[in-house]
Amino acid sequence: MRATTVLIIIDMQKGMQTYPLARNNPQAEENILKLLNWARTNDLNIVHVRHISRTDSSVFFPGQIGAAFQDPLNPLAHEHVVEKNIPDAFIHSNLERWLRVRDINTLIIVGVSTENSVEATARTAGNLGFSVYVVDDACFTFDKVDYAGRKRAAQEVHNMSLANLQGEYAQIMSASEIVKALQPDLKSVEQ
């Protein structure tokens, strides 16, 4: 299981810490860090995805502090980094090839924003035939106005996005459920 599984951490950059809108899952970073430590302990493959904006006024523009990974989630030298400038981490990147060359078929996806980069990446992964797990309590998003002009709370946006993915593109699980599902092949997240 170990060699065929990857933890994909999407857009956990410093710029996300300054986003002005209300968000859900305030414990998401803690859960992502626990999963990252668990993945490292169990020799899972790890991919860090970073959004690099093409707009020079963006906090995610190259050279801006917002484009850097959040300190506790910095990649180690041997961990793969994918840079993207659109929501989907598979488009215009080497991600699919990197996974296929290593015979990786199970993807655990965490990060931000649930209805944007997480959902886009999970949909493509599911369409490409990967076994995809999105970790509910290790993803988050922000308040958003829907197409009808109605303000939606971040938790509503998050829930709808996960509903869009569940069953057709991915399985939705909590961090503890992911760890339990991969036992006894792997060590506990608590170790």
Side-chain angles (χ1 to χ4, degrees):
M1 175 70 78
R2 197 170 290 163
T4 62
T5 303
V6 65
L7 174 65
I8 299 178
I9 303 172
I10 298 179
D11 297 350
M12 292 305 298
Q13 296 161 254
K14 292 181 180 181
M16 288 299 176
Q17 295 172 315
T18 62
Y19 211 74
L21 299 175
R23 62 170 271 196
N24 70 318
N25 278 351
Q27 79 293 350
E29 287 88 346
E30 180 181 327
N31 288 332
I32 293 168
L33 184 57
K34 284 180 182 177
L35 287 170
L36 177 58
N37 289 332
W38 169 77
R40 287 173 174 163
T41 298
N42 288 286
D43 298 321
L44 266 68
N45 295 286
I46 299 167
V47 173
H48 300 262
V49 178
R50 173 174 35 205
H51 186 80
I52 298 297
S53 179
R54 296 179 196 164
T55 305
D56 60 4
S57 60
S58 171
V59 298
F60 302 108
F61 192 74
Q64 299 296 319
I65 192 70
F69 290 108
Q70 293 178 25
D71 292 327
L73 301 172
N74 275 316
L76 299 179
H78 67 279
E79 294 170 350
H80 190 59
V81 175
V82 170
E83 292 189 348
K84 64 180 184 60
N85 50 35
I86 61 173
D88 190 332
F90 283 95
I91 305 300
H92 306 301
S93 78
N94 70 342
L95 181 55
E96 181 184 7
R97 179 169 161 44
W98 189 90
L99 296 168
R100 300 277 190 212
V101 165
R102 288 158 182 79
D103 292 322
I104 295 170
N105 54 31
T106 302
L107 283 55
I108 301 167
I109 300 176
V110 301
V112 66
S113 293
T114 312
E115 85 293 352
N116 196 339
S117 295
V118 170
E119 185 173 345
T121 301
R123 282 176 179 263
T124 297
N127 285 334
L128 290 171
F130 292 101
S131 178
V132 182
Y133 296 90
V134 175
V135 185
D136 166 38
D137 57 358
C139 295
F140 65 95
T141 193
F142 305 93
D143 288 356
K144 191 169 191 167
V145 176
D146 71 16
Y147 186 71
R150 189 168 155 203
K151 185 177 178 183
R152 300 292 181 160
Q155 190 63 48
E156 289 180 278
V157 176
H158 179 80
N159 291 345
M160 193 68 223
S161 178
L162 296 179
N164 291 338
L165 294 173
Q166 176 62 31
E168 189 168 354
Y169 301 99
Q171 295 302 311
I172 311 304
M173 292 185 168
S174 69
S176 62
E177 288 171 331
I178 284 290
V179 170
K180 192 175 195 178
L182 294 180
Q183 299 297 48
D185 293 336
L186 302 174
K187 300 171 192 169
S188 170
V189 74
E190 301 302 322
Q191 293 180 340

